Amino acid sequence: MSVNLTLLTVMGALYACGIYLLLERSLTRVLLGLMLLTNATNLLILTTGGYAGLAPFFNKDTAAGDYNDPLPQALILTSIVISFAVTAFMLGMIYRTWVLARQDEIQDDAEDRRVAETPSFDAEDDAEIPVETSEFPLVARSGPDDEAGTDDEDTVQAGARRIPAADAAAEEQPGSRNTSPDQEGGSK
Amino acid sequence: MNIASFAPLAVVLPILGAALAFLLIRHTRAQRTVSIAVLSLTLLLECWLLASVWEGGTAAVSIGGWLPPFGIVMVVDQFSSLMLVVSSVVSLAVLIYASGQGMADGDSDAPVSIFHPTYLILVAGVSNAFLAGDLFNLYVGFEILLTASYVLMTLGGTGPRIRAGVTYVVVSVVSSVLFLLAIAMIYGATGTINMADLAIKLAGLDEGTRNLLHVLLLVAFGIKAAVFPLSFWLPDSYPTAPAPVTAVFAGLLTKVGVYAIVRTETLLFPGDSFNTPLMVAALLTMVVGILGALAQSDIKRLLSFTLVSHIGYMVFGLAMSSVAGLGAAVFYVAHHITIQTSLFLVTGLIERRAGSSSVDRIAGLAKLSPLLAVLFFVPAMNLAGIPPFSGFLGKLGLLQAGVALGTPLAYALVAGGVLTSLLTLLAIARVWNRAFWRKPEDAEHPDPVLLAAPVAAGPGDRAGQRVILLPRTMVGSTLGLVLFGVALTVFAGPLFGLADQSAQEMLNRSSYIQAVLGDEAPVPAIAQPVPAEGKK
């Protein structure tokens, strides 16, 4: 009764390298890491089948301790097929990233960044003097202009109302802050 | 005649349908008909399974006549058949919605011809995972649905979808590797992967080994179910996919993970040794998830965070390992699949109508499209848990079970549950106020289209191509799903009865084990060689 030390060592090395590669930002390395991880797991399944050198199972008179368990090999076969499919798909995706962005790196989520940079102040919820929106204002307004806070900004006419010039300019830019930067414009 | 003999059809039918749909790749109309017909047929079959299991109890079928514990077994019990029916209803609604979208856009938008076969394979994977009677078949079910979901997630191959898809694929593969690792170790320790057989044999292992296997499985399923420390990937990857795809992912995929956790906790590793960490994870999932939702301005991202947050409720119910708690969790899963999917479908409609899903841009939708407002309002209030909706009933059941348990941690979770419910209401009410109630000119970055004089929803003009903004099929399927959500409220009594009954059977385990291994199989008492320590 001895465990095959070589297999165990190889498995450990594969796991270590796989996890190391997985933590990289380069997609190709991530893919290599995943391949190492799945192969390490396949080796682990193989070791559950019995010790190296045992006979295959072909005769029902063989004693239980004398043959290799065939089930783990069936499991490995399935998992190899699955990891093959996933690897092929990952390669396709990596190629597509290369075609689209000319880089082989995981990119940041633009919307995530935007939310992270948004100040905690929210004009709608936290403004000190909320703009009176009811039809029967409690306090009579002094000025003729009811658009609070927009007086000292440059504004342009947009349709039926005035919007800040900075926003209007941003609308014209390809990398507008209103739309997501993809080619679909973020609205599907 | 064993009713379970027909259970494999729930997997086989969608796969055959996928093959047929793939053959018809050039005939979009025939492809749609085939997909919808196949899925309807599957739904009917599953309703029949549910009805007979409700009366006749758990049933199992050995594929190919290979007897358990050696062959592949499929088990239909009340929990799995309920999950099958709810998931099929939801996926049928989403399929009709997606077909409507394809027809309205003239098929130029996305490769819809690929969508149908892939979608059916996804459904087959989900059914396989729900029916699996052994761990490896569960793994295969997961892989079928994940591989299909990789394709659906990156449909069209645009930049943002590929970016999101990479995160999603890598995280999913890592969780699958962990699951496979756990299977290998379990096989090495016990020599079987049949779940009923494992329920007997795992009890004989010493405690250290058993805890190791338990933790491995929980981590693997926790990634799939998006339980807090492992949930970071979900809001990053879901929102970029096409609306129907996000809807079906949000409804089904995380719930398959929850289903697997339920099976692990009740069948394989019963007892309360891991209840404390699970409860802490549930509390953190609820609170951290909903705090994330409050920071979002995009409705899809906001809903992804509420999805993570509400997974916490299910884990909470499960972690109590009492009939009341588990029953409420089962009810909550059924409720949440329906509601979350319908909210994502409505968000897809909002995006079509208003041109964006960001609440900074859209406004005044209640006036523009009152139907859309109603469609959003009902499931939104349901999600937030406003009485009398099913969300309220499910949460009430969970809170009652928590109070009945009476430990300090359970009270903390009850408080956390109420807080999360209120914060969900806050997040949803903000969307409602901004997107539906305020005037278009009050939006931070108003959409020029919305500022223009309101026109009736009719054929619009987008890039020189006539587009129907709210096609009848899409609105109809969304309406159907919203009504199904309301029906869950109306028929909450029988449904809660079924959920409690299934919880009782799962905690008792004897019907599951005896259905698989025969009537004389020994049902071990809940294995606790060393009493669980530190349980307050």
Side-chain angles (χ1 to χ4, degrees):
Chain A
M1 296 288 275
S2 65
V3 180
N4 191 331
L5 192 64
T6 324
L7 270 187
L8 278 185
T9 319
V10 170
M11 201 177 78
L14 284 181
Y15 270 123
C17 298
I19 290 169
Y20 178 78
L21 284 173
L22 201 63
L23 299 175
E24 295 274 335
R25 273 185 90 86
S26 156
L27 288 178
T28 317
R29 292 187 188 177
V30 170
L31 174 69
L32 291 175
L34 286 180
M35 288 162 71
L36 291 186
L37 280 187
T38 45
N39 281 327
T41 312
N42 289 343
L43 279 185
L44 175 67
I45 303 177
L46 187 68
T47 49
T48 65
Y51 306 108
L54 289 180
F57 177 52
F58 65 95
N59 184 355
K60 66 178 176 181
D61 297 329
T62 320
D66 292 343
Y67 63 86
N68 231 319
D69 188 350
L71 185 68
Q73 297 170 17
L75 303 188
I76 292 176
L77 207 58
T78 316
S79 89
I80 287 175
V81 172
I82 290 170
S83 61
F84 169 71
V86 172
T87 308
F89 189 81
M90 278 287 287
L91 273 176
M93 273 207 309
I94 292 171
Y95 177 69
R96 185 74 187 156
T97 321
W98 176 252
V99 167
L100 286 173
R102 287 284 149 193
Q103 56 178 346
D104 177 40
E105 295 218 328
I106 296 180
Q107 290 152 44
D108 287 328
D109 187 353
E111 174 72 10
D112 209 30
R113 278 292 175 83
R114 200 189 63 71
V115 170
E117 285 164 6
T118 308
S120 59
F121 177 81
D122 185 302
E124 186 120 337
D125 292 346
D126 307 330
E128 266 186 45
I129 306 163
V131 178
E132 181 62 63
T133 51
S134 89
E135 293 183 24
F136 307 101
L138 294 173
V139 188
R141 291 194 170 274
S142 52
D145 190 358
D146 59 6
E147 289 272 55
T150 55
D151 299 5
D152 46 0
E153 284 179 30
D154 285 341
T155 56
V156 292
Q157 191 72 31
R161 69 181 288 260
R162 303 187 73 79
I163 61 172
D167 285 357
E171 291 274 44
E172 302 299 321
Q173 302 295 323
S176 159
R177 56 184 159 148
N178 295 348
T179 54
S180 65
D182 61 311
Q183 61 220 58
E184 301 174 337
S187 55
K188 274 286 108 186
Chain B
M1 186 88 200
N2 188 354
I3 39 138
S5 316
F6 294 95
L9 277 181
V11 182
V12 173
L13 274 181
I15 288 185
L16 287 180
L20 199 57
F22 199 70
L23 283 179
L24 295 171
I25 206 153
R26 304 248 171 265
H27 311 275
T28 32
R29 198 164 285 273
Q31 199 184 33
R32 270 180 210 128
T33 319
V34 164
S35 321
I36 293 176
V38 163
L39 214 50
S40 314
L41 203 62
T42 316
L43 176 62
L44 282 181
L45 172 86
E46 287 164 357
C47 286
W48 180 54
L49 280 179
L50 175 66
S52 40
V53 166
W54 198 334
E55 283 165 12
T58 312
V61 59
S62 315
I63 310 284
W66 292 82
L67 289 180
F70 306 108
I72 293 174
V73 190
M74 282 190 167
V75 186
V76 201
D77 70 349
Q78 287 167 334
F79 184 36
S80 59
S81 56
L82 178 68
M83 288 296 102
L84 278 178
V85 169
V86 176
S87 72
S88 283
V89 168
V90 164
S91 37
L92 184 62
V94 175
L95 182 64
I96 295 172
Y97 181 96
S99 302
Q101 189 175 26
M103 275 189 264
D105 292 348
D107 289 342
S108 60
D109 196 22
V112 182
S113 45
I114 289 297
F115 174 82
H116 284 263
T118 319
Y119 188 84
L120 286 177
I121 287 180
L122 179 84
V123 173
V126 171
S127 304
N128 194 16
F130 285 147
L131 285 171
D134 64 85
L135 277 181
F136 199 76
N137 203 14
L138 183 64
Y139 169 75
V140 171
F142 267 121
E143 286 303 321
I144 296 174
L145 73 90
L146 283 178
T147 313
S149 74
Y150 302 154
V151 177
L152 291 175
M153 175 73 80
T154 54
L155 209 62
T158 57
R161 283 187 194 160
I162 292 286
R163 185 204 60 73
V166 167
T167 320
Y168 178 71
V169 172
V170 170
V171 171
S172 304
V173 171
V174 169
S175 85
S176 297
V177 166
L178 271 177
F179 185 18
L180 196 60
L181 190 76
I183 292 177
M185 289 197 178
I186 286 176
Y187 190 75
T190 60
T192 180
I193 45 172
N194 182 294
M195 293 213 271
D197 202 21
L198 277 176
I200 298 170
K201 287 187 178 154
L202 280 173
L205 295 180
D206 64 277
E207 202 181 0
T209 319
R210 219 176 51 231
N211 285 348
L212 173 74
L213 300 177
H214 193 168
V215 170
L216 263 177
L217 278 184
L218 279 186
V219 171
F221 295 146
I223 297 178
K224 292 180 203 293
V227 177
F228 163 61
L230 311 167
S231 62
F232 54 87
W233 56 272
L234 194 146
D236 204 37
S237 52
Y238 275 17
T240 48
V245 171
T246 314
V248 78
F249 283 13
L252 295 185
L253 298 199
T254 49
K255 306 309 181 301
V256 183
V258 172
Y259 172 87
I261 295 182
V262 170
R263 284 284 180 231
T264 314
E265 283 300 304
T266 56
L267 184 65
L268 301 182
F269 301 94
D272 51 9
S273 52
F274 273 79
N275 282 4
T276 311
L278 271 178
M279 280 197 180
V280 173
L283 183 63
L284 290 174
T285 310
M286 287 197 281
V287 175
V288 174
I290 201 65
L291 290 180
L294 285 174
Q296 306 302 320
S297 61
D298 186 294
I299 304 180
K300 282 179 166 181
R301 288 177 62 89
L302 184 143
L303 287 177
S304 304
F305 275 99
T306 61
L307 168 64
V308 172
S309 164
H310 285 232
I311 295 288
Y313 283 107
M314 302 162 205
V315 179
F316 170 38
L318 160 73
M320 285 185 278
S321 58
S322 63
V323 172
L326 193 58
V330 170
F331 180 83
Y332 204 84
V333 173
H335 144 82
H336 197 253
I337 290 178
T338 318
I339 297 308
Q340 195 75 45
T341 310
S342 30
L343 275 174
F344 270 107
L345 288 185
V346 179
T347 310
L349 288 178
I350 291 176
E351 254 190 328
R352 279 186 79 85
R353 188 67 191 89
S356 167
S357 63
S358 164
V359 287
D360 289 342
R361 287 173 69 82
I362 57 180
L365 280 176
K367 197 173 167 191
L368 205 60
S369 174
L371 176 64
L372 209 55
V374 173
L375 283 181
F376 180 81
F377 188 77
V378 172
M381 290 300 117
N382 205 335
L383 182 76
I386 295 295
F389 286 120
S390 54
F392 168 73
L393 299 172
K395 289 186 181 90
L396 184 68
L398 287 171
L399 300 186
Q400 279 175 340
V403 172
L405 194 63
T407 61
L409 191 58
Y411 276 114
L413 270 153
V414 167
V418 174
L419 179 73
T420 308
S421 182
L422 287 176
L423 289 179
T424 310
L425 184 62
L426 175 63
I428 289 289
R430 276 163 60 130
V431 171
W432 173 259
N433 279 343
R434 291 178 184 207
F436 288 92
W437 264 1
R438 84 181 149 178
K439 294 178 198 154
E441 52 266 31
D442 288 344
E444 284 85 351
H445 304 287
D447 199 309
V449 178
L450 292 176
L451 285 174
V455 286
D461 205 45
R462 193 184 288 166
Q465 190 190 4
R466 284 173 69 80
V467 184
I468 304 167
L469 285 175
L470 294 176
R472 254 185 223 142
T473 17
M474 292 171 78
V475 176
S477 56
T478 313
L479 182 67
L481 203 57
V482 169
L483 288 180
F484 183 70
V486 174
L488 287 186
T489 310
V490 176
F491 298 106
L495 192 61
F496 239 113
L498 178 69
D500 275 345
Q501 213 178 324
S502 71
Q504 214 150 19
E505 282 204 358
M506 279 194 283
L507 288 175
N508 186 13
R509 302 199 295 163
S510 59
S511 67
Y512 190 102
I513 295 177
Q514 284 171 352
V516 176
L517 296 177
D519 287 338
E520 59 279 354
V523 179
I526 289 174
Q528 294 294 336
V530 183
E533 74 297 322
K535 190 74 187 62
K536 286 167 279 244

